Amino acid sequence: MINEKLQEAFNDQINKELYSEYLYLAMKMYFQEHNLQGFVNWFDVQVQEEHAHAMGMINYLNDRGGKVDLRAIETPIVEGSTPLEIFEHVLRHEEFVTLRINHLIDVAEEVRDRAAIGLLDWYIKEQVEEEATVGGVLATLRLIGEDKKALLMLDKDLAARTFTPPVIG
Ligand code: OFO
C-alpha cells in the first residue's frame, strides 16, 4: 500500500499534469487561429506527452493499490499574444512543474518509498529535457524577432516533431 501523504501528493501532481495537457491544448488553439501549422503540431505532441505523464502516475497509484482522485482541472489561461510570449509562458510553466516534481520527490523520500523515488527519477530527467526543448524554441524566437519569413521557417521545423509514447519508470 502507498503512504497516504504520498498518495495525496501524486493526486495533486496528476491534476497538474492534466492541467498542463489542457494548457497546451489551449495554446495549440492559439496557433490554429493564427494558421501556424508547425506550431500546432508541436503543441499537439506536447498535449500527448502531458497525457502520458498523467497516465504514468495514475498507473503507478493503481499498481500500488492506491486511490486515484480525479479533480477539477482549472481553466487554462494562455499568457501572451505572440509566439514569443507564449513560449515564455511555456518555460515558466515547465519550471513550475519541475518544482512540483521536486516536491513530490521530497515527500517520497520522507516516507521512504523507494519505488516512487525510482519512478520520479524518470520524471525529473524528463523535466530537464522539457525545459531544454522549450528553451531552444524560445531562443530561436528571440533571434527571429519581427522577421515573418524566419517565423515561417521555424514553423516548418516544428512540423517535423513526432510523438513517441514514453516508457515511464
Ligand atoms: Fe509533464 O511535463 Fe510538462 O508539464
Side-chain angles (χ1 to χ4, degrees):
M1 274 301 273
I2 188 161
N3 170 282
E4 256 186 46
K5 184 174 176 184
L6 182 58
Q7 172 175 288
E8 168 55 31
F10 264 110
N11 275 314
D12 183 61
Q13 190 57 34
I14 288 166
N15 183 266
K16 289 189 168 53
E17 297 294 340
L18 291 172
Y19 174 78
S20 299
E21 178 180 356
Y22 216 27
L23 176 66
Y24 294 145
L25 186 56
M27 290 176 173
K28 176 180 158 176
M29 294 304 115
Y30 165 92
F31 286 104
Q32 187 68 55
E33 280 165 28
H34 291 77
N35 199 27
L36 285 163
Q37 294 304 323
F39 282 90
V40 168
N41 173 66
W42 193 92
F43 278 98
D44 191 46
V45 172
Q46 203 67 10
V47 164
Q48 294 179 75
E49 285 200 347
E50 297 304 344
H51 188 75
H53 295 169
M55 289 311 299
M57 291 184 182
I58 288 171
N59 291 338
Y60 181 72
L61 281 188
N62 282 333
D63 288 349
R64 297 294 307 277
K67 185 172 169 8
V68 175
D69 183 17
L70 293 176
R71 297 160 186 179
I73 303 166
E74 227 182 283
T75 303
I77 296 171
V78 179
E79 291 164 12
S81 54
T82 64
L84 175 66
E85 287 168 357
I86 288 174
F87 268 82
E88 283 170 343
H89 183 188
V90 175
L91 186 59
R92 277 197 305 279
H93 181 69
E94 286 304 327
E95 286 169 350
F96 167 72
V97 172
T98 300
L99 280 178
R100 298 312 302 168
I101 299 282
N102 273 316
H103 167 73
L104 197 42
I105 293 172
D106 287 346
V107 178
E109 281 175 350
E110 187 189 319
V111 304
R112 304 172 70 96
D113 188 324
R114 290 188 187 281
I117 295 166
L119 175 81
L120 291 167
D121 199 42
W122 181 88
Y123 279 89
I124 206 69
K125 284 185 193 136
E126 174 75 357
Q127 282 311 118
V128 172
E129 228 177 81
E130 293 256 289
E131 285 186 29
T133 307
V134 175
V137 179
L138 194 48
T140 307
L141 282 167
R142 285 194 177 120
L143 276 177
I144 285 174
E146 299 296 311
D147 185 343
K148 292 256 184 305
K149 249 194 203 160
L151 182 67
L152 288 176
M153 276 169 67
L154 174 61
D155 188 59
K156 234 186 183 175
D157 285 353
L158 298 184
R161 188 183 190 198
T162 55
F163 175 65
T164 310
V167 181
I168 298 176

